[in-house]
């Protein structure tokens, strides 16, 4: 299944572009599902997939309902403990969703789409209307982060046999975690793994939306490092609400000239990849599927290729390198490479901790698990050159002994 994750700057029209992309995909013959937390004018507001037109279905995420159902289910699971402590159980009507519940509801929707829960025949194209860019990056990194927390707090390999739990609890003097807790953690880990697989799949790409202008230029330039750090593949930059080039009104002509200057910079920056897509300004907000279909027709290249989204290169790779001059190179050097366009050396922090690399570039952070070969090496240096971070690893003789 081809997946297009649509995000961009706040107020740039992400939902409009996502809906137009889904319409274009469906009209191109792909069975398409649009997922959005926002209401799309003229689209159904049902929380289960509902037909919009031939080949297109949409579903709206209700984060409040998801929060209440999850909390009530947890309350039922802990009913014995709550009764023991004299706790008063809560009703669904008195529950108000907490900050962050929207992200969890979106992950739940992505998991259902990945599993095919919403269609027996399956979809060819999944279009997801994500929050603004910085929130979207945090959301897409969340499955990996939560899985890491679960592995650290409740490691499966250290789970004692059920028969030994009473004896271990007596020896340790503290109660051992209940079996259901490990089972719940394993179930959540499996669910998060499904979402993480969808996000990291080569057929999944990010589509950025911005309204041309100086503020958008600066914001996208700052955000592209975070996109690369999280290993996301960008398939297109959609310049939304593009004004006509020639206008008789001086006020509109000045705005159009400002947009044209920004678009020129974007074309130069993306000269090696796909040029920005230009979505015209309607002069008003889109009113329904008819307006969205017109925008799709007026934006060549908007329809994603439903067969393959993996045209972009891998975000990181490993290569071999010779040892520095004067050093023995018989052990070989492995170089871990990561593209970080726009990164500045002074904003870059790199820490090796166990089998992970902790990377920070300005406001963006990521913990990356190392490949098995690199786990048996020590970090011997790092350099940022031409937008590529290269970390040098030298085999550790204690972990990777010589064979001769």
């Amino acid at each position: 299944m081809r997946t297009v994750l649509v995000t961009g700057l706040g107020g740039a029209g992400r939902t409009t572009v996502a809906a137009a992309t889904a319409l274009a995909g469906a009209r191109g013959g792909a069975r398409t599902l649009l997922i959005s937390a926002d209401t799309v004018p003229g689209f159904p507001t049902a929380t289960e997939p509902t037909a919009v037109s031939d080949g297109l279905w949409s579903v709206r995420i209700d984060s409040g309902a998801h929060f209440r159902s999850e909390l009530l289910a947890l309350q039922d699971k802990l009913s014995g403990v709550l009764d023991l402590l004299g706790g008063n159980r809560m009703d669904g009507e008195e529950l108000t969703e907490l900050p962050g519940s929207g992200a969890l509801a979106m992950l739940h929707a992505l998991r259902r789409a990945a599993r095919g829960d919403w269609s027996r025949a399956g979809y060819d194209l999944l279009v997801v209307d994500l929050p603004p860019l910085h929130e979207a990056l945090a959301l897409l990194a969340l499955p990996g982060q939560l899985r890491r927390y679960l592995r650290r707090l409740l490691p499966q390999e250290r789970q004692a046999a059920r028969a030994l739990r009473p004896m271990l609890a007596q020896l340790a003097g503290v109660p051992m975690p209940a079996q259901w807790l490990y089972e719940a953690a394993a179930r959540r880990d499996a669910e998060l793994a499904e979402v993480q697989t969808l996000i990291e799949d080569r057929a999944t790409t990010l589509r950025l939306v911005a309204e041309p202008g100086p503020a958008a230029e600066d914001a996208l330039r700052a955000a592209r490092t975070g996109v690369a750090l999280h290993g996301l593949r960008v398939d297109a930059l959609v310049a939304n609400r593009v004004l006509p080039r020639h206008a008789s009104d001086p006020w509109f002509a000045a705005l159009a000239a400002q947009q044209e200057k920004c678009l020129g910079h974007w074309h130069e920056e993306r000269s090696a990849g796909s040029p920005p897509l230009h979505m015209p300004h309607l002069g008003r907000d889109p009113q329904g599927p008819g307006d969205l279909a017109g925008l799709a027709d007026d934006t060549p290249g908007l329809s994603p290729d439903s067969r393959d989204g993996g045209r972009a290169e891998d975000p990181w790779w490993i290569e071999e390198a010779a040892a520095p001059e004067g050093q023995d190179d018989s052990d070989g050097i492995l170089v871990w490479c990561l593209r970080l366009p726009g990164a500045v050396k002074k904003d870059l922090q790199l820490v090796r901790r166990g089998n992970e690399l902790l990377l920070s570039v300005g406001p963006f952070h990521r913990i990356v698990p190392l490949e098995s070969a690199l786990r048996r090496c020590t970090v011997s240096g790092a350099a940022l050159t031409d937008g590529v971070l290269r970390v040098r690893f030298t085999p550790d003789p204690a972990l990777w002994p010589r064979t001769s």
Side-chain angles (χ1 to χ4, degrees):
M1 179 176 65
R2 174 78 163 90
T3 303
V4 178
L5 308 172
V6 181
T7 184
L9 308 185
R14 303 179 317 278
T15 301
T16 295
V17 172
T21 298
L23 271 170
R27 294 167 71 185
R31 289 173 52 86
T32 304
L33 175 65
L34 170 67
I35 297 178
S36 178
D38 295 325
T39 301
V40 182
F43 279 50
T45 59
T47 55
E48 292 292 322
T50 306
V52 179
S53 60
D54 290 342
L56 175 62
W57 292 260
S58 71
V59 60
R60 187 180 66 84
I61 298 172
D62 187 340
S63 59
H66 178 262
F67 173 79
R68 287 189 291 273
S69 65
E70 289 288 299
L71 193 57
L72 290 174
L74 178 62
Q75 184 176 250
D76 291 339
K77 193 71 176 180
L78 297 174
S79 59
V81 177
L82 294 176
D83 293 340
L84 181 65
L85 297 176
N88 296 318
R89 302 186 66 175
M90 295 180 289
D91 296 325
E93 292 77 10
E94 62 180 304
L95 294 176
T96 302
E97 63 176 309
L98 299 177
S101 60
L104 297 178
M106 175 64 77
L107 294 182
H108 177 73
L110 290 177
R111 183 182 68 85
R112 294 194 65 184
R115 298 184 64 178
D117 290 352
W118 279 328
S119 175
R120 292 182 179 179
Y123 296 104
D124 305 310
L125 175 63
L126 174 65
V127 180
V128 185
D129 176 24
L130 292 177
L133 185 54
H134 282 264
E135 295 177 41
L137 291 179
L139 186 151
L140 296 175
L142 192 56
Q145 291 176 337
L146 292 178
R147 294 186 69 200
R148 180 174 179 271
Y149 296 157
L150 286 174
R151 289 193 296 268
R152 291 288 295 272
L153 295 173
L154 292 169
Q156 286 292 321
E157 63 272 14
R158 296 183 185 178
Q159 182 183 170
R162 186 178 305 179
L164 296 178
R165 288 185 180 279
M167 181 176 63
L168 291 175
Q170 185 176 4
L171 292 174
V174 295
M176 298 295 292
Q179 180 68 21
W180 72 264
L181 184 60
Y182 280 106
E183 293 172 352
R187 184 168 59 253
R188 289 299 183 190
D189 182 75
E191 294 172 355
L192 291 167
E194 291 178 320
V195 181
Q196 187 175 6
T197 298
L198 174 70
I199 294 171
E200 296 177 353
D201 193 284
R202 289 191 61 86
T204 297
T205 55
L206 198 67
R207 181 159 292 192
L208 301 179
V209 183
E211 187 171 346
E217 277 195 90
D218 295 339
L220 286 180
R221 191 174 295 113
R224 63 177 180 169
T225 304
V227 172
L229 178 63
H230 288 283
L232 301 169
R233 301 176 176 89
V234 177
D235 73 340
L237 168 61
V238 180
N240 192 25
R241 305 191 186 111
V242 177
L243 298 170
R245 294 185 178 182
H246 305 290
S248 57
D249 188 303
W251 190 79
F252 281 105
L255 286 178
Q258 180 177 271
Q259 284 193 348
E260 190 70 18
K261 181 179 179 181
C262 176
L263 289 170
H265 293 163
W266 286 350
H267 277 272
E268 292 175 3
E269 291 174 355
R270 297 182 62 85
S271 59
S274 302
L277 306 180
H278 295 202
M279 181 170 286
H281 202 308
L282 286 178
R284 54 178 171 76
D285 291 335
Q287 301 299 316
D291 285 347
L292 294 170
L295 289 173
D297 290 338
D298 293 337
T299 311
L302 187 66
S303 178
D305 184 346
S306 62
R307 296 166 297 176
D308 178 28
R311 293 183 297 276
E313 297 176 321
D314 288 331
W316 55 68
W317 67 98
I318 299 175
E319 59 187 31
E320 294 185 5
E325 185 177 354
Q327 293 186 17
D328 180 15
D329 62 354
S330 58
D331 289 329
I333 298 290
L334 296 175
V335 182
W336 184 82
C337 306
L338 173 65
R339 293 184 181 86
L340 292 176
V344 180
K345 185 177 180 180
K346 65 180 181 64
D347 296 331
L348 181 65
Q349 292 184 351
L350 174 67
V351 177
R352 165 79 181 272
R353 186 163 65 188
N355 295 328
E356 299 172 326
L357 277 182
L358 283 63
L359 281 170
S360 296
V361 186
F364 304 105
H365 309 276
R366 189 179 185 193
I367 299 176
V368 184
L370 293 174
E371 300 285 347
S372 58
L374 299 183
R375 295 176 185 177
R376 295 178 287 165
C377 301
T378 58
V379 176
S380 55
L384 180 65
T385 308
D386 298 328
V388 177
L389 173 65
R390 290 180 167 84
V391 185
R392 300 172 67 88
F393 288 83
T394 303
D396 185 345
L399 302 176
W400 203 333
R402 298 175 182 270
T403 57
S404 59

